[in-house]
Amino acid sequence: MTRFLTPLMLLLATPAFAQDSGLPPAQVDAPQDDYRAVLEPVDALFAGIAAHDADLIRPYILDGAMITVADQMPNGDRATHRVAFGEWLDGLAGAPQGMQEGMPNPAVEIDGDIAMVWGFYTFKIAGQFSHCGVDHFSLVRQDGKWKIADLTFSTRKDDCGQ
């Protein structure tokens, strides 16, 4: 009996092993212009961080947007905290000079008026490596313009490809 059940079990389990671990595309045929438009608020955020200019960022933030940070602490512990995007923007002018964030290969998914941008990033201060992690942006299209509804990101100092 076991002789017949084992092949049957393997056959039934095959779809689970064969599944792709990546996200399925929300909209396979989104035009390139849509991708560029979705990335515009993300690029504005990075430019505003570098320039210490919250006014470059504010037009791209949805009212009530939040930031969630999942930190890996130096001792290995993890901590999560949230802050209102507007509150974070208010403190940007007092942040260290020379901040630069880069996300070299963002994944973009679009479905109608919602979108997601996900990607590995590195963060530098005055040209020196500070930390890395993954950014996850949730965006919505409001009055024809893409806005960041929420930003969630992780931080760590290792496994950063340095």
Side-chain angles (χ1 to χ4, degrees), residues 61-72:
I61 306 302
L62 188 69
D63 288 343
M66 295 293 293
I67 298 174
T68 304
V69 183
D71 281 322
Q72 180 178 336

Side-chain angles (χ1 to χ4, degrees), residues 69-104:
V69 183
D71 281 322
Q72 180 178 336
M73 311 309 276
N75 67 0
D77 288 348
R78 298 183 186 277
T80 303
H81 59 278
R82 291 175 54 87
V83 63
F85 223 117
E87 183 181 330
W88 179 83
L89 287 171
D90 291 343
L92 183 59
Q97 293 294 316
M99 296 187 304
Q100 181 183 7
E101 183 168 351
M103 186 173 22

Side-chain angles (χ1 to χ4, degrees), residues 108 145 148 160:
V108 178
K145 299 287 184 188
I148 297 170
C160 295

Side-chain angles (χ1 to χ4, degrees), residues 129-158:
F129 171 79
S130 172
H131 63 274
C132 71
V134 171
D135 281 336
H136 171 256
F137 294 87
S138 294
L139 300 101
V140 295
R141 187 169 22 208
Q142 185 180 63
D143 300 323
K145 299 287 184 188
W146 287 101
K147 295 192 174 205
I148 297 170
D150 291 291
L151 167 59
T152 302
F153 63 92
S154 61
T155 69
R156 62 181 180 269
K157 293 196 180 269
D158 55 3

Side-chain angles (χ1 to χ4, degrees), residues 19-90:
Q19 292 177 5
D20 186 332
S21 63
L23 294 172
Q27 183 176 337
V28 176
D29 59 351
Q32 280 302 115
D33 287 347
D34 287 351
Y35 287 100
R36 283 190 287 278
V38 166
L39 287 170
E40 186 177 336
V42 175
D43 293 340
L45 174 68
F46 295 162
I49 288 171
H52 278 74
D53 189 346
D55 290 336
L56 291 176
I57 303 168
R58 281 187 208 281
Y60 296 98
I61 306 302
L62 188 69
D63 288 343
M66 295 293 293
I67 298 174
T68 304
V69 183
D71 281 322
Q72 180 178 336
M73 311 309 276
N75 67 0
D77 288 348
R78 298 183 186 277
T80 303
H81 59 278
R82 291 175 54 87
V83 63
F85 223 117
E87 183 181 330
W88 179 83
L89 287 171
D90 291 343

